[in-house]
């Protein structure tokens, strides 16, 4: 055990004990201390340091601290400071211990590492995750070979879920140690999806080191990362990083790759499945095909060489001539496979799926069915499959113009429909406004006529109450009798008025509104027919809400019934000067029969000439107020009548506008980016040529 390790374990005292003496270390060191004191120039540093260790081992931390605080030789001072901090930890004085650890200053790498590990342990106890992470990372960076520091860091990062730090540690340790352990740790992180958010170039140096170290391990790590990135947004970037790495690390050494050829073939078909435009992968295809051909054994180079030749035939000059020449040689030296319809069927299904997305699933079927003669692709001959693929691609290329024309026609049709809907919307608005104004005006006229009839006829009926006054009437009671007669006449008049005049007027107004609503509905029916003819189907039905009429009928009947409910009025029992005079005269002269003629004349004259307009107004005003409230709601109710047609037209307008916007965007995209339609078909053509080459169908 080294001296530094003994100091870490606090067993340094064992190196200075006097072997000739027997007894407890405390007693031996005490004797050694007293003997040293007898010298002229005593050196007590080592003994004091050793005594501190013994006290610490026996849990006498205060005594240990005292000994370590005594003058010591320079080399032991930082170790003593570290030990004092350890003692404070044991005493539970963590904050003081932290300060003491941070004061330790020593050139010893071991001591620095030990201090950091002690600080890390202290921060974990305190629950200070930020400081714990920072400290353990510093310890790893300072001295990764220090006892179990990397394993401790790995465990801690995993426990607290700090996966970025865990991945970084695994990458760095894989590069540093070149051990299978750390490669396994990193591979596990990748398989758990913990690295999918990393840019692929983060792993470039790692892969370079592994490739230089062991190609089998390189393949294993590459496969894990490849599978991780395949379903991520970084897939293309990953392929670029991997291809560039292999191009730069290319060596003319024989090596049989176990996994890379299959990965390259799989990725190649990912690139040409139609998800990417040619310009997005053109630079990558050259590198990818070059590496694919290089890493594939000559005996298995049929797929890679055929892919290169298919690209060259489809897009001449895109690939390097040297690569094409090498592929031609490889292709000629490989054994063609027996005809396999599987690849042809897969390609045809891909073409059909793309055609369906573009709105050509039915047109394509009409073209291909006669070739297949309604038979299954599995039963088709090689030449039939080749013909179906060729005709399908050629047909879809031709449909580019037809598709554009179809979109333009769709836009024109939608614009015509939109114009119709907007015109209908305008007419509905005009109809609603005109109907509301007309119905409100006609109701106002009806209301005023009814009010005018009451204000005109009711006072006349009250004046006719004079007919009950006779020469022999008891003029002392005539006022009460006249008041009763007038109230009776009011009841009779109002009953007749409500049951005849009001009922007839209301019903006439309702009937007029009904006829006008029916005319509006007829117009809505014409609007529906116009739109449905354009759609060539029963698309809309603009039905208005006739329940409005039922609500009006009910509300007006309620108001009418209310006119029959009023309290008895005091018409001839008021204290007006005229009435007081007549009342007094009646009492004074009623006992004198010769004065009856005079009273009869006065009463009759007063009643027949009295203005009863205020009385009539008092009776009719409450009901006129209710009719005015009804009048104010007519416009809202008319709006309710038209609400459904207006909503339907608005909804259809929004749909048509959205269709126009979508089709216009599609057309603009076709104009601005014709490659979005052309490139998938070009890639289908590449796959078709490759299929023919690998199955030698062109020679059939």
């Amino acid at each position: 055990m080294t001296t530094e390790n003994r100091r870490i374990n606090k067993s340094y005292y064992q190196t200075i004990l006097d072997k000739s003496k027997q007894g407890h270390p405390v007693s031996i060191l005490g004797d050694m201390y007293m003997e040293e004191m007898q010298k002229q120039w005593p050196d007590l540093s080592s003994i004091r340091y050793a005594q501190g260790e013994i006290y610490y081992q026996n849990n006498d931390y205060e005594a240990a601290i005292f000994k370590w605080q005594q003058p010591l030789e320079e080399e032991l001072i930082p170790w003593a400071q570290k030990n004092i901090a350890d003692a404070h930890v044991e005493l539970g004085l963590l904050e003081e211990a932290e300060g003491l650890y941070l004061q330790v200053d020593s050139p010893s790498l071991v001591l620095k590492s030990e201090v950091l590990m002690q600080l890390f342990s202290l921060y974990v106890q305190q629950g200070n995750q930020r400081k714990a992470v920072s400290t353990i990372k510093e310890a790893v960076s300072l001295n990764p070979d220090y006892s179990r520091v990397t394993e401790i860091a790995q465990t801690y990062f995993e426990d607290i879920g700090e996966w970025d730090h865990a991945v970084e540690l695994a990458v760095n340790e894989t590069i540093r140690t070149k051990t299978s352990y750390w490669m396994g740790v990193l591979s596990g992180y990748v398989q758990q999806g913990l690295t999918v958010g990393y840019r692929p170039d983060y792993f470039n140096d790692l892969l370079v080191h592994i490739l230089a170290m062991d190609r089998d391990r390189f393949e294993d790590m590459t496969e894990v990362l490849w599978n991780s990135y395949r379903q991520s947004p970084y897939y293309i970037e990953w392929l670029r990083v991997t291809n560039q790495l292999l191009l730069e690390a290319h060596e003319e050494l024989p090596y049989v790759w176990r996994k890379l050829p299959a990965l390259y073939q799989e990725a190649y078909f990912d690139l040409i499945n139609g998800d990417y435009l040619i310009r997005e992968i053109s630079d990558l295809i050259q590198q990818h095909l070059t590496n694919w051909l290089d890493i594939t054994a000559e005996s298995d180079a049929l797929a890679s060489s055929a892919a290169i030749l298919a690209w060259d035939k489809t897009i001449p000059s895109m690939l390097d001539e040297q690569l094409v020449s090498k592929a031609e040689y490889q292709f000629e030296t490989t054994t063609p496979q027996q005809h396999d319809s599987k690849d042809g069927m897969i390609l045809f299904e891909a073409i059909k799926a793309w055609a369906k997305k573009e709105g050509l699933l039915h047109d394509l079927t009409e073209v291909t069915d006669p070739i297949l003669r309604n038979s299954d692709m599995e039963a088709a001959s090689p030449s039939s499959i080749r013909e179906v693929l060729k005709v399908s691609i050629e047909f879809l290329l031709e449909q580019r113009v037809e598709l554009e024309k179809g979109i333009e026609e769709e836009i024109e049709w939608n614009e015509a429909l939109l114009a119709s809907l907007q015109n209908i919307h305008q007419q509905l608005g005009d109809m609603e406004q005109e109907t509301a104004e007309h119905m409100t005006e006609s109701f106002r006229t009806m209301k005023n006529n009814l009010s005018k009839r009451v204000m005109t006829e009711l006072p006349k009926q009250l004046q006719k109450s004079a007919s009950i006054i006779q020469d022999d009437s008891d003029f002392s009671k005539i006022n009460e009798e006249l008041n009763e007669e007038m109230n009776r006449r009011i009841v009779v008049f109002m009953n007749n008025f409500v049951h005849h005049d009001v009922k007839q007027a209301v019903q006439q107004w309702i009937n007029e509104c009904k006829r006008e609503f029916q005319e509006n509905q007829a117009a809505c029916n014409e609007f529906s027919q116009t739109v449905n003819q354009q759609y060539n189907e029963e698309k809309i039905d603009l039905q208005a809400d006739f329940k409005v009429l039922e609500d009006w009928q009910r509300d007006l009947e309620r108001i009418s019934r209310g006119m029959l409910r009023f309290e008895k009025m005091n018409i001839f029992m008021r204290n007006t000067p005229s009435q007081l005079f007549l009342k007094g005269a009646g009492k004074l002269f009623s006992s004198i029969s010769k004065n009856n003629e005079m009273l009869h004349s006065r009463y009759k004259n007063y009643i027949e000439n009295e203005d009863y307009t205020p009385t009539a107004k008092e009776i009719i005003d409450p009901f006129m107020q209710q009719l005015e409230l009804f009048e104010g709601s007519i416009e809202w109710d008319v709006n309710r009548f038209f609400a459904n047609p207006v909503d339907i037209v608005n909804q259809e307008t929004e749909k048509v506008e959205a269709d126009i916007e979508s089709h216009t965007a599609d057309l603009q995209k076709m104009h601005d980016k014709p490659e979005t339609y052309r490139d998938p078909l070009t890639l289908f053509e590449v796959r078709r040529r490759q299929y023919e080459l690998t199955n030698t169908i062109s020679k059939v």
Side-chain angles (χ1 to χ4, degrees):
M1 184 180 293
T2 65
T3 299
E4 288 183 325
N5 285 335
R6 287 186 176 278
R7 289 172 179 168
I8 290 172
N9 296 326
K10 297 181 179 60
S11 61
Y12 170 74
Y13 70 92
Q14 294 177 352
T15 64
I16 68 169
L17 285 177
D18 188 342
K19 306 298 183 184
S20 63
K21 297 184 177 180
Q22 299 293 323
H24 195 278
V26 173
S27 177
I28 296 174
L29 288 173
D31 292 342
M32 291 174 63
Y33 185 91
M34 295 305 296
E35 290 175 3
E36 188 66 23
M37 285 291 291
Q38 304 303 317
K39 297 179 181 178
Q40 184 176 0
W41 305 104
D43 181 7
L44 300 172
S45 178
S46 296
I47 299 174
R48 286 171 176 160
Y49 185 88
Q51 287 177 320
E53 289 183 330
I54 294 297
Y55 293 141
Y56 186 96
Q57 298 283 9
N58 288 276
N59 302 326
D60 192 350
Y61 302 116
E62 291 182 353
I65 292 171
F66 175 78
K67 282 295 181 178
W68 285 324
Q69 286 177 336
Q70 300 306 308
L72 301 171
E73 60 185 81
E74 186 174 350
E75 181 185 358
L76 292 175
I77 290 175
W79 287 96
Q81 290 176 322
K82 181 261 182 187
N83 288 345
I84 291 172
D86 291 346
H88 278 78
V89 170
E90 295 297 332
L91 291 170
L93 305 174
L94 300 185
E95 292 185 6
E96 292 84 347
E98 178 186 6
L100 292 168
Y101 282 129
L102 293 174
Q103 292 175 12
V104 176
D105 183 15
S106 171
S108 170
L109 186 61
V110 172
L111 180 55
K112 288 180 178 179
S113 299
E114 184 63 20
V115 168
L116 288 172
M117 294 304 292
Q118 291 298 99
L119 274 172
F120 166 72
S121 176
L122 183 149
Y123 293 141
V124 171
Q125 290 184 60
Q126 290 180 323
N128 193 329
Q129 185 172 306
R130 180 183 62 82
K131 285 187 176 182
V133 169
S134 175
T135 302
I136 194 63
K137 289 186 67 175
E138 184 181 353
V140 171
S141 176
L142 175 69
N143 188 6
D145 289 321
Y146 191 68
S147 177
R148 298 191 66 251
V149 64
T150 53
E151 289 84 350
I152 292 172
Q154 175 200 350
T155 301
Y156 181 65
F157 292 151
E158 291 179 352
D159 287 344
I160 64 174
E162 283 286 349
W163 298 111
D164 285 345
H165 296 313
V167 170
E168 179 185 25
L169 175 67
V171 169
N172 292 338
E173 286 303 288
T174 299
I175 295 174
R176 187 182 72 86
T177 65
K178 301 180 176 59
T179 61
S180 58
Y181 171 78
W182 283 108
M183 281 190 62
V185 171
L186 180 58
S187 178
Y189 292 159
V190 175
Q191 290 173 336
Q192 294 176 58
L194 301 175
T195 63
V196 74
Y198 285 70
R199 301 292 292 263
D201 57 2
Y202 178 82
F203 298 103
N204 190 69
D205 288 345
L206 170 76
L207 293 172
V208 169
H209 280 82
I210 298 176
L211 178 60
M213 176 180 65
D214 188 320
R215 292 194 178 187
D216 284 338
R217 292 184 178 181
F218 170 79
E219 270 196 302
D220 292 339
M221 182 57 69
T222 300
E223 180 187 34
V224 171
L225 287 167
W226 201 305
N227 291 332
S228 172
Y229 280 122
R230 191 178 182 209
Q231 303 300 326
S232 81
Y234 290 131
Y235 187 40
I236 293 294
E237 187 175 335
W238 161 254
L239 294 177
R240 285 196 170 94
V241 168
T242 308
N243 277 292
Q244 188 61 36
L245 185 154
L246 286 178
L247 286 175
E248 293 175 356
H250 179 69
E251 297 179 7
E252 296 296 336
L253 294 176
Y255 183 78
V256 179
W257 295 98
R258 299 173 293 112
K259 299 178 178 180
L260 283 185
L263 291 173
Y264 263 81
Q265 179 167 329
E266 183 180 57
Y268 169 72
F269 284 107
D270 288 339
L271 290 173
I272 65 171
N273 67 0
D275 289 341
Y276 307 102
L277 298 176
I278 292 176
R279 60 178 170 79
E280 295 175 331
I281 61 172
S282 57
D283 61 326
L284 180 57
I285 285 293
Q286 169 75 32
Q287 294 182 342
H288 195 83
L289 292 175
T290 299
N291 284 323
W292 186 15
L293 190 63
D294 284 345
I295 65 174
T296 305
E298 291 187 5
S299 59
D300 298 323
L302 178 62
S304 56
S305 59
I308 294 170
L309 297 179
W311 270 95
D312 186 56
K313 289 180 180 295
T314 308
I315 311 178
S317 305
M318 181 176 174
L319 301 180
D320 181 73
E321 291 183 4
Q322 186 176 356
L323 175 62
V324 176
S325 297
K326 185 177 180 180
E328 288 176 342
Y329 171 78
Q330 294 279 50
F331 183 75
E332 293 297 330
T333 59
T334 58
T335 302
Q337 62 189 40
Q338 295 296 319
H339 172 61
D340 182 3
S341 62
K342 179 182 177 182
D343 291 340
M345 289 189 293
I346 291 174
L347 177 54
F348 184 57
E349 290 300 319
I351 293 173
K352 287 200 300 182
W354 183 85
K356 181 178 180 180
K357 185 179 68 175
E358 295 295 327
L360 301 167
L361 175 48
H362 179 70
D363 297 331
L364 179 61
T365 302
E366 288 185 347
V367 171
T368 57
D369 275 355
I371 301 174
L372 292 172
R373 297 175 183 173
N374 297 320
S375 65
D376 193 281
M377 280 285 285
E378 295 182 0
S381 66
S383 58
S384 295
I385 293 178
R386 176 185 62 180
E387 187 66 16
V388 166
L389 295 175
K390 185 176 181 181
V391 168
S392 296
I393 295 172
E394 290 175 350
F395 168 76
L396 292 173
L397 283 170
E398 293 171 358
Q399 290 303 302
R400 169 68 168 76
V401 176
E402 293 299 321
L403 186 62
E404 183 175 341
K405 182 180 178 182
I407 293 176
E408 290 173 344
E409 292 175 351
E410 187 73 15
I411 292 174
E412 291 176 2
W413 180 84
N414 274 290
E415 287 176 341
L417 178 60
L418 179 62
S420 295
L421 290 169
Q422 289 173 336
N423 180 55
I424 291 172
H425 186 274
Q426 180 64 43
Q427 291 189 62
L428 284 172
D430 294 342
M431 285 168 52
E432 179 180 331
Q433 182 178 354
E434 292 171 4
T435 300
E437 290 176 354
H438 181 261
M439 290 183 173
T440 301
E441 182 59 32
S442 64
F443 184 86
R444 186 181 299 117
T445 300
M446 177 194 75
K447 177 196 69 177
N448 292 339
N449 288 338
L450 290 173
S451 176
K452 184 178 180 180
R453 171 160 173 72
V454 172
M455 297 300 295
T456 302
E457 296 299 325
L458 183 57
K460 292 180 181 180
Q461 292 297 320
L462 295 177
Q463 289 173 342
K464 291 179 180 180
S465 298
S467 63
I468 69 167
I469 304 174
Q470 304 296 327
D471 290 341
D472 57 352
S473 296
D474 184 355
F475 288 98
S476 63
K477 299 179 180 179
I478 195 65
N479 287 41
E480 290 85 351
E481 293 175 359
L482 283 170
N483 200 67
E484 288 293 330
E485 176 64 15
M486 289 180 178
N487 275 281
R488 185 189 66 77
R489 287 179 177 270
I490 290 173
V491 170
V492 172
F493 175 83
M494 290 303 295
N495 268 288
N496 183 65
F497 172 73
V498 169
H499 289 107
H500 183 266
D501 298 70
V502 174
K503 183 177 181 180
Q504 186 178 36
V506 166
Q507 193 59 50
Q508 182 178 349
W509 182 80
I510 290 289
N511 290 338
E512 290 175 358
C513 292
K514 182 177 181 180
R515 284 193 296 273
E516 191 164 356
F517 276 157
Q518 287 173 338
E519 291 173 2
N520 292 333
Q521 182 61 60
C524 288
N525 293 339
E526 292 180 5
F527 296 154
S528 299
Q529 185 177 5
T530 298
V531 174
N532 290 335
Q533 285 176 348
Q534 289 180 276
Y535 273 114
N536 198 28
E537 63 172 297
E538 294 298 315
K539 185 71 173 179
I540 64 172
D541 184 13
L542 303 181
Q543 285 295 327
D545 185 4
F546 280 87
K547 188 176 181 296
V548 170
L549 289 172
E550 297 177 10
D551 294 341
W552 283 352
Q553 187 85 49
R554 183 190 65 247
D555 291 344
L556 290 173
E557 287 179 359
R558 175 181 54 77
I559 294 173
S560 299
R561 288 195 301 271
M563 290 183 178
L564 300 176
R565 295 192 297 270
F566 49 86
E567 295 180 0
K568 182 178 180 181
M569 299 186 66
N570 183 8
I571 304 171
F572 206 74
M573 299 292 291
R574 299 176 181 177
N575 293 324
T576 64
S578 298
Q579 290 187 6
L580 286 172
F581 173 77
L582 288 173
K583 183 177 181 181
K587 290 182 177 181
L588 178 63
F589 298 109
S590 61
S591 60
I592 306 173
S593 60
K594 64 180 180 179
N595 291 321
N596 282 5
E597 184 177 350
M598 180 270 293
L599 290 174
H600 174 270
S601 175
R602 281 182 172 270
Y603 266 96
K604 193 166 187 178
N605 182 64
Y606 171 78
I607 293 169
E608 290 176 346
N609 292 288
E610 178 66 6
D611 181 14
Y612 294 101
T613 301
T615 301
K617 189 174 187 304
E618 185 179 349
I619 292 173
I620 199 64
D621 271 358
F623 308 110
M624 288 299 109
Q625 290 174 3
Q626 293 186 54
L627 292 177
E628 286 172 0
L629 290 174
F630 182 92
E631 178 185 330
S633 68
I634 291 175
E635 182 178 355
W636 188 90
D637 286 331
V638 170
N639 175 270
R640 181 158 61 94
F641 176 82
F642 284 97
N644 185 58
V646 170
D647 287 345
I648 291 175
V649 171
N650 285 337
Q651 291 169 9
E652 288 302 314
T653 299
E654 290 175 1
K655 291 178 183 177
V656 173
E657 288 175 338
D659 285 343
I660 292 175
E661 183 178 353
S662 175
H663 289 315
T664 302
D666 289 341
L667 190 61
Q668 189 64 42
K669 185 178 179 181
M670 293 179 73
H671 289 164
D672 295 345
K673 297 181 178 180
E675 64 271 19
T676 57
Y677 185 95
R678 182 192 62 234
D679 282 8
L681 294 176
T682 302
L683 294 175
F684 287 145
E685 178 64 12
V686 171
R687 292 173 64 179
R688 182 188 72 81
R689 290 180 180 272
Q690 183 176 352
Y691 171 67
E692 292 182 354
L693 287 168
T694 54
N695 290 278
T696 63
I697 298 176
S698 58
K699 300 176 184 179
V700 176

